Amino acid sequence: RRKKHHYHYCLPCDFKDEVHSKPPAYTHVNVNRYDPKNRPKRHPPNDECCKCVPVTEDCVKSCDEACLNRLSYTECVGDENLKSGSKNPYWNCNCGPNCGNRGMSKRQFAKCRPMREHG
């Protein structure tokens, strides 16, 4: 039969001050600007590439809904002629510029407008 151990635990002395303290003063942000010096770190390439086949027709886009990158919410990067180590070491697609999973880099966003609410 096991013995029940009772452990005595005490909260730190400044815990009450942290919990009941006021939030920092409000500062209004006028513009949200991107700082190029504070860029997020990119993960090194892991040699995973989508298995999509480049399509020769201009009207048909490769990398459709079955693309490995699209399923993992990753945008395709790279070109079939520029393999790893050339201009962009972070390539993950062999389809080139006719890829259908390059909406962000080609700036193809959905048309939308902000809705202002009264209040």
Side-chain angles (χ1 to χ4, degrees), residues 2-114:
R2 290 185 177 178
K3 292 183 180 180
K4 291 184 179 180
H5 295 289
H6 294 285
Y7 296 104
H8 295 286
Y9 179 75
C10 182
L11 291 173
C13 294
D14 61 344
F15 181 77
K16 183 178 178 183
D17 296 333
E18 289 180 20
V19 171
H20 295 291
S21 65
K22 292 184 178 181
Y26 172 78
T27 55
H28 185 73
V29 177
N30 291 326
V31 178
N32 189 11
R33 292 191 180 154
Y34 175 73
D35 185 12
K37 292 177 266 179
N38 191 15
R39 295 172 71 177
K41 293 183 180 178
R42 296 184 78 174
H43 299 290
N46 54 2
D47 296 332
E48 289 185 7
C49 178
C50 68
K51 309 296 185 232
C52 300
V53 179
V55 180
T56 56
E57 300 173 19
D58 289 337
C59 60
V60 178
K61 299 278 186 187
S62 46
C63 291
D64 55 355
E65 286 78 24
C67 175
L68 178 68
N69 291 332
R70 188 182 291 245
L71 292 173
S72 63
Y73 296 104
T74 307
E75 187 175 34
C76 291
V77 177
D79 193 352
E80 60 187 359
N81 300 325
L82 302 174
K83 294 295 182 188
S84 178
S86 296
K87 285 188 176 179
N88 187 2
Y90 295 96
W91 69 284
N92 62 3
C93 179
N94 289 326
C95 295
N98 199 24
C99 176
N101 189 23
R102 296 181 187 224
M104 294 289 283
S105 61
K106 290 184 176 182
R107 298 188 168 271
Q108 296 171 339
F109 306 116
K111 304 239 185 238
C112 60
R113 288 185 174 176

